[in-house]
Amino acid sequence: MILQKRRVFLVMMLLLVAAVTGATANPDVRDGCQERCGDVIVPYPFGIGEQRCAMNENFFLNCTSTDDGHHELWFREDMPARNISLLNGTVTVGILASFDCYDKSGGQSRLFNQSISLGPAYTFSDSRNMLTAVGCDTAATVTNKEETFGAACFSFCTGNVTMSKNNSCLGSGCCQTSIPKGLKSLDITIESFNNHEDVSAFNPCGFAFLEDKDSLDLSDWPLSRTPKQNNDTSNVVIEWVAQNETCENARANKSSYACGINTNCYYSDNGQGYRCACNAGFEGNPYLEQGCQDIDECEYPEKYTCYGKCHNTIGNYECKCFLGMRGDGKGGCQFNTIIAVIGAIVSLVIICLLLFMILSKRRKDRNFRENGGTVLKHQRVRIFSEAELTKATDKYDDDKKIGEGGFGSVYKGVLADNTVVAVKKSKGVDKAQMNEDFQHEICVVSQVNHKNVVKLLGLCLETKVPLLVYEFISNGTLSKHIHDKRSQVLASWSNRLRIASEAALALDYLHSLADPPVIHGDVKSVNILLDDKYTAKVADFGASVLISPGQTNILATKIQGTLGYLDPEYLMTGDLTEKSDVYSFGVVLVELLTGEKPNSNAKSGNKRNIIQYFNSALENNDLFGILDFQAADEAEMNEIEAVAELAKRCLNSVGVNRPSMKEVSEELAKLKAFNQKSWTQQNSDETEYLLGKSSQSFRNNASPPTSQSQTVISFEFENYTDSI
């Protein structure tokens, strides 16, 4: 509950930070870009604040602040932007009107010429704008910069004209004329024929301006109007295109193509280039990299008609009539007797399925209780549902199988949150073992937390035999990399030494730091996995046992483990101790050194015991003749000799004469530290110091004390392997 409150608090703080910094999740702008300036929304390809927020410099606009705290968007230095439309491909801006004024004494004030030029992506809209003149003695003319176009209109008054919204603007107090397509520049000029002498009483000024005819309101332009400083502006619609080229050429150059995913390219009406639009059934900003997203038509029944069951599809939707009805769901559905009968039969089948599901749920609940779910659900272990794991493994498809042994199989699975897991599915179980000891063991193993131990993520108790869910380790078993000569992971001694040290560290943790301590019981190269960084992970606790306080050994009711790795003392007495893991780890060290399996085939074709083979090589001072790799230098040879001596001590037939896993781990850690240091500094004195007397005795081919003599037991039948 406390953790949940902390998460809610963290989400609220992140939202607050986003609000303060102005970050936006608006789908029409780039991530982290400002959405609006004042009352004007600025969608991409336009942008403000940072150059990256716009598609290019042609679409970068300026947002300024006034003294009273308001913001204003500028299309150009002298043109405020009032609206941007992605759908229409337009920008509405304010442009100063030209004027021509006279007072009664004949004095004149005027802004009689306005010259306006646009950038390469813009043109004046011929369908929206009209040249408009207001006055009783006014002549307005308009040309382009190249003087390839010219037009004029004249406005007179025969009496006092009242300007209103419904004025026709046909020459009495007001006149209009159109402009052609494709204009990128305008020169607007205003003149008076008689200096307003005859009409100055009610019309001191004339005005000429380009105006959006849809927004023009002549009541804003009474004939008595005089110029206002920087405020006599008209709304002008400017059309824009993404680029001034054809769609074919634009698509060919993918790096500069402006349209995103699920969009189409089309030509603007003014013929100056192309724009982008969402495909049918999609919505969003077509100019953003992610493009347009599918519309779920089923969420908008008022807009997309469906008289039956609606199903959204990519770019469209389907509508099927309900059971017992026929017809096109989009156009209507009618009652169908035959289908109704079939529907009744289907309903009966559904009822049977529901009964089956109820019985299945009761079975799962019973298994859950019998498997200790009532206790385990209160522990720090995740409880998975049977359906969740069935879906994750594609119904335990054979293609998902990544391991198999006497216990059953291991399957790779992907959970709903995309977590990759390994699901251990047993073949069978002795229900007598499903007691409190099993529940306690699962609770303890679920709390084991070490970087070199495969983590148990949870379990499923709804099946007759519980399913165990482990983290997925991507690079397989150590055994695979030892015996598959195509693998290069173990080509260097440093990697072999590091992996051995990491595995020893995990076993030391289980013996010394776990509470209660754990004897693994099945240490072998198959149960040492390598993750995506080739870090060693000890796995498979199927044969593991817990050591109670004051207990030093476990008297096994049956021998478990893998032949070839089993402690001979354990085989003879049935006493499983921590030193049993030490012996098995010694076999792994020999396997790492020689590349041979515990019961491998010699060149003669006969079975040979790797421990005998290893000891014989040591006695004959032929260690480097049986190695599976090449030592890089003298320092590595010293380290290899030390590891061989350590393996020999681990393989002592008398358990009490073997080192503890702590001693093994510490010695391997020292060797690993020296190996890493030798990359930058070669120091033979330090090598001898770290390796100690064991290395010297090895080189002198000294025999171990009689108390360390060993008995080797060989087995001539196959072993089985379990893997996670």
Side-chain angles (χ1 to χ4, degrees):
M1 188 66 182
I2 294 175
L3 181 58
Q4 185 177 8
K5 289 181 178 178
R6 288 178 177 173
R7 288 175 177 170
V8 172
F9 175 75
L10 180 58
V11 171
M12 293 177 66
M13 289 300 296
L14 290 173
L15 292 174
L16 179 61
V17 170
V20 172
T21 58
T24 177
N26 186 286
D28 280 338
V29 299
R30 276 186 166 174
D31 290 342
C33 291
Q34 193 172 334
E35 173 191 359
R36 61 173 63 232
C37 178
D39 296 330
V40 183
I41 295 176
V42 185
Y44 188 80
F46 294 88
I48 54 178
E50 301 177 55
Q51 287 286 347
R52 71 171 188 85
C53 294
M55 186 166 65
N56 56 52
E57 61 182 6
N58 293 326
F59 294 93
F60 186 71
L61 307 182
N62 189 23
C63 182
T64 62
S65 300
T66 59
D67 294 337
D68 58 0
H70 289 83
H71 293 81
E72 189 161 13
L73 183 66
W74 294 91
F75 176 74
R76 244 176 41 180
E77 184 177 351
D78 55 348
M79 291 185 189
R82 293 169 178 168
N83 178 265
I84 300 174
S85 172
L86 286 181
L87 181 63
N88 300 321
T90 60
V91 180
T92 301
V93 302
I95 295 180
L96 287 173
S98 297
F99 62 88
D100 186 20
C101 298
Y102 299 83
D103 56 25
K104 292 182 179 181
S105 62
Q108 184 184 35
S109 61
R110 62 192 314 200
L111 175 63
F112 68 94
N113 183 276
Q114 277 277 80
S115 181
I116 308 167
S117 295
L118 301 178
Y122 302 98
T123 57
F124 291 100
S125 173
D126 64 287
S127 62
R128 295 281 298 273
N129 299 314
M130 298 284 285
L131 175 66
T132 303
V134 175
C136 292
D137 183 18
T138 303
T141 60
V142 58
T143 62
N144 62 343
K145 188 176 182 180
E146 295 80 10
E147 296 186 351
T148 58
F149 151 75
C153 78
F154 305 94
S155 175
F156 301 97
C157 299
T158 56
N160 197 342
V161 180
T162 301
M163 305 298 284
S164 68
K165 188 174 184 179
N166 297 323
N167 273 39
S168 58
C169 205
L170 295 177
S172 179
C174 173
C175 70
Q176 287 183 328
T177 188
S178 60
I179 61 173
K181 287 185 179 181
L183 288 184
K184 293 182 175 294
S185 63
L186 290 177
D187 282 342
I188 300 174
T189 304
I190 185 170
E191 293 186 78
S192 173
F193 294 103
N194 299 308
N195 297 339
H196 287 236
E197 291 178 355
D198 296 335
V199 293
S200 60
F202 63 91
N203 181 222
C205 299
F207 294 89
F209 49 86
L210 203 63
E211 176 80 29
D212 177 13
K213 61 185 179 181
D214 294 336
S215 65
L216 177 62
D217 185 352
L218 288 176
S219 63
D220 294 334
W221 298 89
L223 294 176
S224 59
R225 177 170 175 159
T226 57
K228 302 174 183 177
Q229 185 176 7
N230 297 328
N231 200 29
D232 281 317
T233 59
S234 59
N235 291 327
V236 177
V237 178
I238 296 173
E239 297 181 0
W240 53 271
V241 293
Q243 289 179 331
N244 289 313
E245 59 180 338
T246 65
C247 290
E248 290 77 11
N249 291 340
R251 291 192 188 100
N253 189 359
K254 295 183 179 179
S255 62
S256 63
Y257 186 49
C259 303
I261 302 171
N262 299 320
T263 65
N264 62 76
C265 172
Y266 72 97
Y267 297 111
S268 65
D269 292 337
N270 58 37
Q272 297 298 307
Y274 74 89
R275 298 193 188 113
C276 306
C278 292
N279 290 336
F282 293 85
E283 62 184 358
N285 188 328
Y287 297 95
L288 288 170
E289 291 86 347
Q290 64 267 30
C292 303
Q293 292 75 46
D294 175 56
I295 300 172
D296 187 349
E297 291 86 354
C298 298
E299 292 187 359
Y300 306 98
E302 68 284 354
K303 186 176 180 181
Y304 302 96
T305 304
C306 180
Y307 294 96
K309 181 175 178 56
C310 182
H311 172 67
N312 182 57
T313 61
I314 301 300
N316 206 335
Y317 72 105
E318 296 176 349
C319 183
K320 296 182 180 179
C321 293
F322 293 114
L323 188 65
M325 308 290 285
R326 61 183 175 84
D328 177 12
K330 296 180 181 180
C333 298
Q334 296 81 39
F335 183 74
N336 190 319
T337 305
I338 297 176
I339 295 179
V341 173
I342 296 174
I345 297 173
V346 171
S347 298
L348 183 60
V349 172
I350 291 174
I351 291 173
C352 293
L353 287 175
L354 289 174
L355 289 173
F356 172 78
M357 291 171 64
I358 292 171
L359 294 174
S360 178
K361 186 177 185 305
R362 289 180 178 177
R363 173 185 58 80
K364 291 178 181 180
D365 290 343
R366 183 180 66 253
N367 288 334
F368 185 85
R369 292 191 301 271
E370 291 179 355
N371 290 335
T374 306
V375 175
L376 291 171
K377 71 180 181 180
H378 298 298
Q379 305 297 325
R380 287 195 308 170
V381 59
R382 180 175 174 182
I383 305 298
F384 291 90
S385 68
E386 182 182 14
E388 188 176 5
L389 298 183
T390 300
K391 181 179 180 181
T393 57
D394 291 341
K395 299 180 180 178
Y396 300 98
D397 189 276
D398 285 343
D399 291 339
K400 299 290 185 180
K401 187 181 292 185
I402 56 176
E404 189 167 16
F407 69 91
S409 303
V410 178
Y411 296 85
K412 179 181 179 181
V414 181
L415 302 179
D417 62 358
N418 291 325
T419 300
V420 183
V421 297
V423 181
K424 191 172 183 180
K425 188 173 187 286
S426 299
K427 289 179 179 177
V429 69
D430 180 1
K431 295 299 287 185
Q433 295 179 9
M434 301 299 295
N435 52 26
E436 293 182 1
D437 290 338
F438 168 76
Q439 299 168 19
H440 182 62
E441 178 180 350
I442 293 297
C443 293
V444 172
V445 175
S446 69
Q447 296 179 57
V448 171
N449 186 13
H450 191 273
K451 66 179 181 179
N452 298 118
V453 176
V454 175
K455 186 173 180 58
L456 178 69
L457 301 180
L459 61 160
C460 172
L461 302 174
E462 294 179 354
T463 55
K464 184 177 180 181
V465 181
L467 306 175
L468 303 181
V469 182
Y470 289 89
E471 64 173 319
F472 177 74
I473 307 301
S474 59
N475 274 317
T477 68
L478 175 60
S479 176
K480 182 190 78 170
H481 292 285
I482 293 175
H483 304 296
D484 184 351
K485 301 307 178 185
R486 294 171 297 177
S487 172
Q488 295 299 309
V489 177
L490 302 178
S492 68
W493 165 245
S494 60
N495 266 358
R496 294 181 187 240
L497 179 58
R498 175 184 58 77
I499 291 169
S501 177
E502 290 170 348
L505 194 65
L507 293 173
D508 176 33
Y509 167 81
L510 295 174
H511 290 184
S512 306
L513 299 177
D515 185 18
V518 179
I519 298 175
H520 187 279
D522 194 16
V523 177
K524 57 185 178 181
S525 58
V526 170
N527 286 341
I528 299 173
L529 309 182
L530 302 181
D531 68 8
D532 55 346
K533 296 181 180 179
Y534 298 102
T535 300
K537 302 266 189 176
V538 173
D540 196 345
F541 294 89
S544 300
V545 294
L546 305 174
I547 305 175
S548 302
Q551 201 174 16
T552 58
N553 66 305
I554 304 294
L555 184 60
T557 55
K558 66 175 182 177
I559 303 299
Q560 296 188 78
T562 303
L563 296 174
Y565 294 89
L566 282 173
D567 173 14
E569 191 173 66
Y570 169 47
L571 279 171
M572 290 184 291
T573 65
D575 285 343
L576 181 67
T577 69
E578 293 175 347
K579 296 298 181 72
S580 300
D581 281 351
V582 174
Y583 181 90
S584 301
F585 184 74
V587 179
V588 173
L589 287 179
V590 172
E591 195 173 355
L592 266 171
L593 290 169
T594 65
E596 298 280 352
K597 295 181 179 179
N599 289 301
S600 61
N601 288 318
K603 291 182 180 179
S604 63
N606 298 323
K607 286 279 186 179
R608 69 179 176 195
N609 183 278
I610 186 61
I611 307 305
Q612 278 184 329
Y613 176 57
F614 175 71
N615 283 331
S616 175
L618 297 186
E619 290 172 3
N620 295 318
N621 201 20
D622 190 29
L623 171 63
F624 293 98
I626 65 171
L627 295 182
D628 188 39
F629 57 93
Q630 293 292 328
D633 51 33
E634 180 74 15
E636 284 195 358
M637 293 172 66
N638 291 335
E639 293 165 9
I640 294 166
E641 289 177 346
V643 172
E645 171 64 17
L646 181 63
K648 182 179 179 182
R649 291 167 57 203
C650 292
L651 294 170
N652 195 298
S653 61
V654 181
V656 294
N657 293 331
R658 299 170 196 156
S660 67
M661 276 313 306
K662 186 173 188 63
E663 293 172 314
V664 173
S665 176
E666 287 176 350
E667 185 161 348
L668 287 173
K670 284 182 181 180
L671 290 168
K672 181 180 127 182
F674 175 76
N675 180 271
Q676 292 172 343
K677 187 174 182 181
S678 67
W679 284 95
T680 56
Q681 179 181 355
Q682 296 293 331
N683 189 326
S684 60
D685 291 336
E686 185 176 3
T687 303
E688 294 300 322
Y689 172 75
L690 287 170
L691 298 177
K693 294 182 179 180
S694 61
S695 174
Q696 293 298 325
S697 64
F698 220 89
R699 294 190 168 205
N700 296 331
N701 196 25
S703 300
T706 55
S707 62
Q708 298 291 320
S709 62
Q710 302 195 28
T711 302
V712 178
I713 301 177
S714 176
F715 300 94
E716 299 293 335
F717 43 88
E718 293 184 0
N719 59 341
Y720 69 87
T721 59
D722 303 346
S723 64
I724 296 300

